[in-house]
Amino acid sequence: MKNLILLFAALVLYSCNTEAQTKNSIPETFKINKTETEWKAILTPDQFYVLIKSGTERPFSSPLNKNYKTGTYHCAACNTPLFLSENKFDSGTGWPSFDREIKGNVAFSTDYNLGYSRTEEHCGTCGGHLGHIFNDGPKTTGKRHCINGDALIFKPSN
């Protein structure tokens, strides 16, 4: 019984020191800072809910989920390029999914809103909430950037 208690204590301590909890690279301030009133003036209600209030759109509700055109996905709030179409894949989850971001344009933080840690993604320029990253993606990177379509604007290539 004593060994079982020691094993349980070791597991609890180990689980409290995960990489997700130390992966907090979200900047304190962003290049673009606006008040909620200013964001409401330029975003749709759905975009405001996702980007500013950290909401989640319903799965399979975004037309970008099944968009297979060549181009770049930009932040709907500030137009920063975030993801390339060549890195998009159909995850079957109902949200646009990518195996990698455009380096330097996406910031990460730890989200505990569901009672466990998840890595949250933000626009690196304005701080808008994009979605979350998971370790169940394709073999290319093993990552699945699960992104709300309302946080994105698609710009096709010429």
Side-chain angles (χ1 to χ4, degrees), residues 15-35:
S15 69
C16 290
N17 190 19
T18 65
E19 178 186 349
Q21 293 174 351
T22 60
K23 191 176 185 180
N24 191 357
S25 62
I26 187 167
E28 293 293 320
T29 59
F30 294 94
K31 294 175 190 169
I32 297 176
N33 290 299
K34 296 181 185 286
T35 65

Side-chain angles (χ1 to χ4, degrees), residues 116 118-119 121 131-137 142-146:
Y116 59 91
R118 299 183 298 169
T119 302
E121 297 188 67
H132 293 85
I133 185 169
F134 301 98
N135 292 321
D136 60 0
K143 303 294 183 190
R144 173 174 54 96
H145 298 258
C146 187

Side-chain angles (χ1 to χ4, degrees), residues 3-158:
N3 288 339
L4 186 61
I5 292 171
L6 287 173
L7 178 62
F8 179 75
L11 287 173
V12 168
L13 290 174
Y14 178 75
S15 69
C16 290
N17 190 19
T18 65
E19 178 186 349
Q21 293 174 351
T22 60
K23 191 176 185 180
N24 191 357
S25 62
I26 187 167
E28 293 293 320
T29 59
F30 294 94
K31 294 175 190 169
I32 297 176
N33 290 299
K34 296 181 185 286
T35 65
E36 285 195 5
T37 303
E38 290 171 318
W39 284 123
K40 280 183 181 179
I42 62 172
L43 298 172
T44 68
D46 289 339
Q47 289 171 331
F48 181 82
Y49 170 69
V50 168
L51 287 158
I52 308 306
K53 293 298 188 179
S54 298
T56 302
E57 67 192 13
R58 287 184 344 268
F60 302 102
S61 64
S62 173
L64 294 180
N65 186 43
K66 295 292 184 181
N67 179 34
Y68 300 110
K69 297 175 185 170
T70 303
T72 306
Y73 294 83
H74 292 241
C75 175
C78 70
N79 202 29
T80 297
L82 303 170
F83 302 97
L84 300 175
S85 61
E86 65 196 50
N87 303 126
K88 186 173 184 288
F89 68 98
D90 188 354
S91 66
T93 61
W95 290 279
S97 298
F98 304 86
D99 71 350
R100 70 198 73 182
E101 78 281 7
I102 296 175
K103 296 287 182 199
N105 291 358
V106 176
F108 304 94
S109 68
T110 303
D111 167 9
Y112 296 100
N113 292 338
L114 296 180
Y116 59 91
S117 66
R118 299 183 298 169
T119 302
E120 185 175 1
E121 297 188 67
H122 306 269
C123 172
T125 303
C126 71
H129 167 77
L130 304 173
H132 293 85
I133 185 169
F134 301 98
N135 292 321
D136 60 0
K139 290 181 181 179
T140 51
T141 64
K143 303 294 183 190
R144 173 174 54 96
H145 298 258
C146 187
I147 307 299
N148 289 285
D150 282 325
L152 302 173
I153 294 174
F154 177 73
K155 296 197 176 184
S157 296
N158 293 337

